[in-house]
Amino acid sequence: MAQVKIEAVVKSQEMLADGVYSMVLSAPEIARQAKAGQFVSVYTKDSSRLLPRPISLCGIDKEKGELRLVYRVAGAGTEEFSRYEAGEKVQVMGPLGNGFPLKEKKAILIGGGIGIPPMLGLMKALDCERTAVLGYRDSQLFLKDEFEAFGPVSVATEDGSAGTKGNVLDAIRANGVEGAVIYACGPTPMLRAIKAYAAENGIECYISLEERMACGIGACLACVCQSKEVDHHSNVHNKRICKDGPVFAAEEVEI
Ligand SMILES: Cc1cc2nc3c(=O)[nH]c(=O)nc-3n(C[C@H](O)[C@H](O)[C@H](O)COP(=O)(O)OP(=O)(O)OC[C@H]3O[C@@H](n4cnc5c(N)ncnc54)[C@H](O)[C@@H]3O)c2cc1C
Ligand code: FES
């Protein structure tokens, strides 16, 4: 089925940490088809901001027809979303992108910052042994307790106020990755380090990339990244993050 643009209804909104919000939308037409790792384009009501804001799916409840979005206020668009209350109507297009492949071997899920929410959706969707490694700025460990319902969780914080001080790679090494598959979403330097670590150690690895987007459906080429292989349509080393991704096998893309 293709993506649809619908009028969703806000069911609830809560603040999880400073500037980080969890918003549940009633969006049955999208929830029915959605899978972990996909995203939606959320339109603002301010007509001076024409482009929708891409936000990953943190939760999908097919039975209730609901989507959960967890987002950080970054600018005017996400600030507007944070003011929505239950009952507000919002234009949403989705589901967009490809989602994570669900493998059946031991999984290590790595989320950094606002890359953590889509990993919770994956943690729920996987049906295998799984461990989460979550990287935060400080001790505001949003969503951590929800991950713990599905498996062990290691934490790294930039300021050392909780878990290991430093980056998620230290926590990954401590977990033992032999025979495992790595899934990761977070800032590009983190993904670059994980891609290199996976290549050095021969580990299967999938990364979810972010880029500023316009159409969100593969038409405008605003979101391309460099790929290893030549694209058959355009004959260049390009992949569209919105349509070919956002999830890629790590060796497929140059970051
Ligand atoms: C596939 C995808 C999934 C995403 N999922 C989430 C999510 O689950 N939760 C979440 O909080 N955010 C997510 N983002 C980022 C989110 O789309 C941006 O933060 C948002 O569009 C900013 O809009 P704004 O109007 O608030 O800020 P703007 O005023 O548009 O921008 C404010 C600041 O954010 C930066 N920014 C804008 N867009 C992006 C972007 N796409 N990537 C990185 N930086 C950006 C700008 O450079 C600027 O510094 C995702 C982005 C993509 C591409
Ligand atoms: S945003 Fe238009 S092609 Fe990706």
Side-chain angles (χ1 to χ4, degrees):
M1 271 168 90
Q3 74 272 351
V4 288
K5 186 173 171 190
I6 60 158
E7 188 173 70
V9 179
V10 176
K11 300 294 287 183
S12 65
Q13 169 103 265
E14 63 172 315
M15 192 166 95
L16 302 180
D18 290 343
V20 178
Y21 292 81
S22 169
M23 180 163 68
V24 175
L25 298 175
S26 173
E29 302 87 338
I30 299 177
R32 207 179 297 137
Q33 329 173 37
K35 51 185 188 170
Q38 291 188 296
F39 64 100
V40 288
S41 278
V42 185
Y43 290 77
T44 69
K45 296 179 198 294
D46 184 335
S47 54
S48 68
R49 287 189 294 278
L50 287 178
L51 295 176
R53 273 38 183 174
I55 305 287
S56 302
L57 301 177
C58 171
I60 303 160
D61 187 328
K62 289 184 189 289
E63 247 168 61
K64 290 188 183 163
E66 291 177 355
L67 301 174
R68 182 187 189 192
L69 312 181
V70 171
Y71 60 95
R72 191 188 294 281
V73 172
T78 44
E79 196 278 327
E80 181 190 306
F81 301 155
S82 72
R83 283 185 276 113
Y84 293 170
E85 292 178 355
E88 185 98 40
K89 294 193 169 72
V90 48
Q91 299 286 320
V92 179
M93 182 167 65
L96 301 171
N98 56 357
F100 289 105
L102 302 182
K103 302 286 172 163
E104 282 175 4
K105 51 185 170 178
K106 179 181 171 188
I108 299 183
L109 286 72
I110 307 164
I114 207 62
I116 290 172
M119 305 317 290
L120 180 59
L122 178 62
M123 193 87 173
K124 286 182 187 167
L126 284 167
D127 186 19
C128 60
E129 185 189 341
R130 50 220 193 266
T131 295
V133 179
L134 309 178
Y136 295 91
R137 289 177 179 170
D138 54 34
S139 59
Q140 296 192 66
L141 309 180
F142 59 89
L143 302 176
K144 175 179 168 275
D145 50 345
E146 296 188 49
F147 277 88
E148 282 167 343
F150 301 95
V153 178
S154 303
V155 165
T157 49
E158 285 172 22
D159 66 0
S161 57
T164 318
K165 179 171 171 30
N167 62 43
V168 293
L169 265 185
D170 302 325
I172 299 166
R173 288 192 191 99
N175 266 292
V177 290
E178 219 166 288
V181 52
I182 290 179
Y183 301 97
C185 183
T188 304
M190 180 193 107
L191 296 181
R192 198 175 288 130
I194 291 168
K195 173 179 153 80
Y197 177 77
E200 275 161 30
N201 293 280
I203 301 161
E204 187 175 3
C205 177
Y206 296 91
I207 53 180
S208 181
L209 301 184
E210 240 193 52
E211 188 45 86
R212 297 210 71 153
M213 290 183 178
C215 72
I217 53 167
C220 72
L221 304 184
C223 66
V224 290
C225 66
Q226 232 191 323
S227 61
K228 198 170 154 207
E229 305 297 336
V230 167
D231 177 275
H232 292 303
H233 305 290
S234 52
N235 218 23
V236 288
H237 289 267
N238 270 351
K239 293 265 184 204
R240 295 159 300 176
I241 293 177
C242 68
K243 177 94 177 169
D244 306 317
V247 179
F248 296 95
E251 72 272 9
E252 225 185 314
V253 286
E254 308 289 350
I255 53 171

